[in-house]
Amino acid sequence: LALVVSIPHLPLLLGRASPIWDALDFFGPYFVLVGDFARQGQFLLWNPFINGGSPDYIEPQIGAFSPVLLLFAWGGTHGFELYWLAIWLLGPLSLLVLSRHLGAPAWGGLVAALGFAFSGFYTGNAEHTAMLSAVSFLTLLLWRMDVAVIHCRPRAAAEAGALWGLSGLAGYPGLVLLN
């Protein structure tokens, strides 16, 4: 699954292509800025470079407090492409876990995961990493909530809540709330 999803992204990962539209003009530059602050041991709270100074920490799509985004941002500019691919893979890979939990055959889970990976949402919103991030956590949330409800496990419910909170640290707020 990871190989099939990575093949169309090879030009991007090899530096032969670059992100387009919002990924190039908004998410990519903010990713680098968050990484610059992180490498200095700080969170991006105040952006001195735009609007005469701006409190960018309040924009959840930037991901200034997301440990996942910060981990990838630590690596610099190429980290954005790796982050993009990682959040793209998170949804389909976690769908494999969910399908196994639900008792689906392995081939059925793979078909569903490939369909999810190349769905209109993922391919149509690829430039919006905040939207991909929010939706990619959805199948993990469903898996943990299903375990919590069926087996009456409070820990699984807490894990689902933690995953939901994590998705909100770099996710599009509307989709986080829908999740």
Side-chain angles (χ1 to χ4, degrees):
L1 175 67
L3 181 64
V4 171
V5 173
S6 298
I7 288 172
H9 295 95
L10 279 178
L12 179 72
L13 295 173
L14 295 174
R16 295 186 193 143
S18 66
I20 57 173
W21 300 312
D22 287 352
L24 176 66
D25 297 330
F26 181 78
F27 294 106
Y30 266 109
F31 182 90
V32 172
L33 185 62
V34 167
D36 288 344
F37 272 81
R39 282 187 295 281
Q40 297 300 315
Q42 301 174 1
F43 287 113
L44 170 63
L45 300 176
W46 189 263
N47 182 350
F49 302 110
I50 62 168
N51 300 326
S54 176
D56 284 348
Y57 70 94
I58 61 173
E59 172 58 68
Q61 297 180 84
I62 291 172
F65 300 120
S66 170
V68 177
L69 190 138
L70 288 168
L71 177 71
F72 282 95
W74 192 273
T77 309
H78 195 59
F80 180 69
E81 290 87 5
L82 297 174
Y83 173 71
W84 190 11
L85 184 59
I87 60 172
W88 196 309
L89 283 170
L90 177 64
L93 288 175
S94 58
L95 183 58
L96 287 175
V97 174
L98 177 63
S99 64
R100 181 181 174 128
H101 166 73
L102 295 174
W107 65 267
L110 180 62
V111 169
L114 285 170
F116 192 43
F118 294 106
S119 67
F121 182 85
Y122 272 91
T123 58
N125 291 295
E127 66 189 280
H128 301 110
T129 56
M131 294 178 89
L132 291 183
S133 179
V135 169
S136 290
F137 277 94
L138 179 60
T139 49
L140 282 175
L141 292 168
L142 290 173
W143 168 51
R144 297 317 298 157
M145 282 306 298
D146 194 52
V147 168
V149 170
I150 290 175
H151 302 292
C152 297
R153 294 189 180 153
R155 179 179 173 182
E159 290 169 353
L163 287 167
W164 185 66
L166 185 60
S167 75
L169 290 175
Y172 182 72
L175 293 174
V176 171
L177 292 175
L178 285 175
N179 285 352

